Amino acid sequence: MACVNDSLGELPHGRPPQTEFDTGLDYPRLGSVTFRRGTLTPNQEQLFDEWWPRLGRILTHSDEDQTIDVDEWFGRSGHKTIVEIGSGTGTSTAAMAPLEKDTNVIAVELYKPGLAKLLGSVVRGGIENIRMVRGDGVEVLARMFPPESLDGVRIFFPDPWPKARHHKRRIIQSGTLNLIATRLKPGGVLHVATDHADYAEWINELVEVEPMLEYKGWPWENAPILTDRQVITKFEGKGLDKQHVISEYLWVKK
């Protein structure tokens, strides 16, 4: 599962892989991956060197089997597993995980400084049920998790790509919902939150598009996983400062 670059948390060079789906549905398509400026502090670099080999994985560009053995990675079996796509700096991830200690939480993020902040929270807080993957969320779901292996998927405040010509990059698409549905176990939950009004309208048009997912709305008192995000994330806080409305969505795999 690990690759040569895992100790540094660095992605391979070149254009990222893109799975070819044959469903006829819409998927977010990546261009060349570029990042905001951001470097790790010496302390963060030291944390990566020491902890990433055990707590982190990287989606490589090779065609080799990269399926994650969750039980082996977490050192336990029989526990629920949730994947959070686009965990950012991990604010909500680190806040929720201690409240669901019997759940394996896997945070997926491309931005290394965000993963570094989450890694710091995990190490300092002694949080034992979080692992991290550096890679594109759609590709990670497609290539690292087998069908019907997850109890939950979380997507909190994804990039809204507000310009019309960039809407095809939005992660919530008919194809992504289908992919998530295939990775969820029956009874598994998808939880999405956004503070972007146009993105909320976009999602509203898609809530019933995937036949394997039953839309439960918000809130859903009988959800089998934790749905209270506990804290205000950085992006949520910025949205609330601008008086944005937070829209949340829950689906269950039929």
Side-chain angles (χ1 to χ4, degrees), residues 143-178:
R143 299 173 63 200
M144 302 185 86
F145 295 97
E148 297 194 348
S149 62
L150 302 176
D151 297 274
V153 173
R154 292 169 174 159
I155 305 176
F156 297 157
F157 304 96
D159 193 325
W161 294 106
K163 295 181 180 179
R165 68 177 183 271
H166 291 155
H167 284 180
K168 63 184 179 182
R169 298 184 181 181
R170 288 175 169 175
I171 192 169
I172 306 299
Q173 308 265 1
S174 60
T176 313
L177 291 171
N178 175 259

Side-chain angles (χ1 to χ4, degrees), residues 20-244:
E20 293 299 324
F21 298 99
D22 59 2
T23 61
L25 302 174
D26 295 324
Y27 296 84
R29 307 316 286 162
L30 292 173
S32 297
V33 175
T34 57
F35 300 104
R36 305 178 300 259
R37 288 187 177 183
T39 57
L40 305 192
T41 66
N43 183 54
Q44 288 175 330
E45 291 282 7
Q46 183 179 351
L47 278 174
F48 253 91
D49 289 343
E50 183 176 355
W51 292 96
W52 185 260
R54 184 166 74 86
L55 300 179
R57 295 279 185 269
I58 296 174
L59 178 65
T60 70
H61 291 189
S62 69
D63 292 329
E64 66 186 21
D65 180 21
Q66 297 182 60
T67 303
I68 292 174
D69 185 330
V70 173
D71 289 350
E72 179 186 359
W73 199 12
F74 283 84
R76 60 186 188 175
S77 60
H79 293 261
K80 291 183 178 180
T81 298
I82 292 174
V83 170
E84 183 177 346
I85 302 295
S87 55
T89 58
T91 306
S92 60
T93 316
M96 293 174 74
L99 303 178
E100 44 188 354
K101 292 181 179 180
D102 288 337
T103 299
N104 302 323
V105 179
I106 301 175
V108 179
E109 175 59 50
L110 274 168
Y111 190 52
K112 186 177 180 181
L115 288 168
K117 289 185 178 180
L118 176 55
L119 183 60
S121 297
V122 168
V123 174
R124 289 191 300 271
I127 304 172
E128 298 180 352
N129 60 321
I130 292 178
R131 301 291 186 269
M132 288 152 276
V133 175
R134 191 174 184 201
D136 170 69
V138 171
E139 294 297 327
V140 169
L141 281 177
R143 299 173 63 200
M144 302 185 86
F145 295 97
E148 297 194 348
S149 62
L150 302 176
D151 297 274
V153 173
R154 292 169 174 159
I155 305 176
F156 297 157
F157 304 96
D159 193 325
W161 294 106
K163 295 181 180 179
R165 68 177 183 271
H166 291 155
H167 284 180
K168 63 184 179 182
R169 298 184 181 181
R170 288 175 169 175
I171 192 169
I172 306 299
Q173 308 265 1
S174 60
T176 313
L177 291 171
N178 175 259
L179 173 63
I180 291 170
T182 66
R183 269 40 186 177
L184 287 173
K185 299 174 184 177
V189 175
L190 168 61
H191 183 184
V192 175
T194 184
D195 72 323
H196 192 275
D198 181 62
Y199 206 165
E201 292 182 10
W202 172 279
I203 298 172
N204 289 340
E205 295 293 322
L206 295 171
V207 293
E208 303 285 356
V209 75
E210 175 47 54
M212 288 187 288
L213 294 176
E214 178 185 353
Y215 181 54
K216 305 298 288 188
W218 177 266
W220 176 25
E221 293 182 0
N222 296 320
I225 63 173
L226 182 66
T227 59
D228 181 354
R229 290 179 288 103
Q230 298 301 310
V231 296
I232 296 176
T233 68
K234 180 177 72 172
F235 291 104
E236 183 177 3
K238 288 181 178 180
L240 291 174
D241 287 343
K242 298 176 182 177
Q243 297 184 328
H244 291 183

